[in-house]
Amino acid sequence: LGGMKPVIVVHGGAGRIFKEREEGCRAGTVRAALQGYGVLKAGGSAVDAVEEAVRSMEDDPHFNAGCGSVLNEKGEVEMDAIIMDGKNLDSGAVSAVKCIANPIKLARLVMEKTKHMLLTDQGAHMFGQAMGIPEIPGEKLITERSRERWKKNLEPDSNPEEFQKDLGTVGAVAIDSEGNVACATSTGGLSNKLIGRVGDTACIGSGGYADNHSGATSTTGHGESIMKVVLARLILYHMEQGMSPKVAADTALDYMKTRVGGLGGVIVVNKAGEWAARFSTKQMSWATVKDDELHYGISAGEEHVKSLGETLVSASEGL
């Protein structure tokens, strides 16, 4: 194995996390981080690790990705996802995909099996079929909560903007023992969005970016704002100028807030294996594992630390 100590950082979306959902979000991000770290410890690549971590959260109905995704104006799930390999800047993404459990798997196939970087809607669907990705009925991805929210937002006096505060996207960044970095991001988008709306997640440099020369980042928050400032690439640019992951993240989030009034959150790892999880929203569930130590939190200033030994015991009982 190479000389690098592997690190994984995951987020479960920035916004306002309702009290009754905190435990589930916390447990889900921790589970994803542990699964991704398991891949790294076994000698797996950063790309494998971030895909595994994101897949874990897509399968968890607490998050707005995969099962649990919010509904568009027509009451359907349309999902976006991206994955990127920092070694050669290869990337794959899908947008507005329906009826599959794990958009991140399809994004990985776009990266590895096509000459393209982004497939959308019908084309992504046909490619998924050709690759043997199992289709599932769209209803299977819809939770009671997503349907309730969609209905509420349809009421004449409703304000969908209010609900957007509870945004969610899931993401992961990692560095493996060879020093390669990767990122992955997946989302169901905005509740009651227009059909065919694609946010930052599927857009390289906005929803995520990974480059071995600097590091990797995955973003969450108000997609249109993130796209305006190309948030993921902006953070890496700041790190290229010598900023630490934490300062780079805060500087970019601050710029997005002052310049376009947008809020969000980011996870970052640099090429030296230093990490950060920062957000300008009220909350963001996040977790990281480095040196066999788990760190996790949801609210500003909150950081719990556990050794992996303790964690594996407590994981079976819920945190």
Side-chain angles (χ1 to χ4, degrees):
L1 282 180
M4 197 73 208
K5 281 189 172 154
V7 182
I8 184 145
V9 195
V10 306
H11 70 74
R16 180 188 55 195
I17 297 162
F18 296 107
K19 259 281 172 271
E20 73 277 6
R21 301 183 62 75
E22 267 187 32
E23 259 336 282
C25 286
R26 196 176 273 131
T29 34
V30 165
R31 188 182 308 118
L34 292 172
Q35 287 182 346
Y37 192 66
V39 170
L40 295 170
K41 284 296 266 196
S45 68
V47 172
D48 286 339
V50 295
E51 180 188 9
E52 179 54 32
V54 165
R55 185 204 53 76
S56 164
M57 291 185 285
E58 285 176 341
D59 291 345
D60 185 332
H62 279 95
F63 303 109
N64 173 18
C67 177
S69 289
V70 298
L71 312 186
N72 66 12
E73 56 177 356
K74 215 175 114 190
E76 295 178 333
V77 165
E78 282 188 324
M79 303 166 290
D80 304 334
I82 193 168
I83 193 164
M84 187 166 183
D85 183 345
K87 192 170 17 184
N88 46 16
L89 305 189
D90 275 352
S91 178
V94 292
S95 68
V97 295
K98 305 180 183 78
C99 303
I100 59 167
N102 300 110
I104 200 65
K105 286 188 169 168
L106 192 54
R108 171 97 188 244
L109 288 168
V110 170
M111 173 168 84
E112 292 182 347
K113 306 287 185 200
T114 78
K115 293 191 174 77
H116 307 311
M117 292 177 78
L118 172 60
L119 290 182
T120 194
D121 198 1
Q122 245 350 83
H125 177 77
M126 285 157 64
F127 173 67
Q129 281 179 317
M131 289 287 121
I133 294 257
E135 274 176 65
I136 58 169
E139 296 74 69
K140 272 254 199 302
L141 298 170
I142 299 177
T143 58
E144 198 41 55
R145 174 167 180 264
S146 297
R147 201 182 290 288
E148 283 304 302
R149 241 170 95 170
W150 174 70
K151 281 199 191 122
K152 241 192 187 121
N153 286 346
L154 289 180
E155 290 166 11
D157 56 350
S158 84
N159 175 14
E161 292 299 304
E162 212 9 70
F163 279 102
Q164 304 311 7
K165 306 233 173 13
D166 174 30
L167 296 161
T169 294
V170 305
V173 295
I175 187 164
D176 60 29
S177 55
E178 303 294 324
N180 293 313
V181 299
C183 70
T185 313
S186 179
T187 190
L190 292 180
S191 191
N192 297 64
K193 62 190 178 180
L194 293 182
I195 291 166
R197 178 265 188 185
V198 176
D200 65 292
T201 300
C203 301
I204 189 170
S206 294
Y209 202 81
D211 182 350
N212 281 7
H213 294 166
S214 44
T217 180
S218 168
T219 68
T220 166
H222 185 246
E224 281 72 12
S225 299
I226 290 171
M227 291 158 96
K228 287 175 186 176
V229 302
V230 198
L231 186 63
R233 190 66 192 81
L234 181 59
I235 292 166
L236 291 193
Y237 165 76
H238 286 317
M239 293 202 301
E240 285 156 8
Q241 304 301 305
M243 285 185 191
S244 69
K246 182 175 175 298
V247 175
D250 286 348
T251 304
L253 283 168
D254 195 48
Y255 175 71
M256 182 166 84
K257 192 172 172 178
T258 51
R259 187 71 179 87
V260 298
L263 301 179
V266 300
I267 49 172
V268 190
V269 65
N270 71 7
K271 63 181 181 185
E274 300 167 320
W275 62 274
R278 309 293 295 169
F279 47 99
S280 52
T281 50
K282 216 170 137 110
Q283 291 162 305
M284 178 179 81
S285 58
W286 62 272
T288 183
V289 189
K290 179 182 181 176
D291 288 337
D292 290 338
E293 205 171 58
L294 167 76
H295 298 242
Y296 61 96
I298 284 190
S299 301
E302 176 192 348
E303 185 170 334
H304 307 278
V305 184
K306 288 188 171 178
S307 75
L308 280 200
E310 299 173 69
T311 309
L312 298 173
V313 176
S314 64
S316 50
E317 298 141 21
L319 288 169

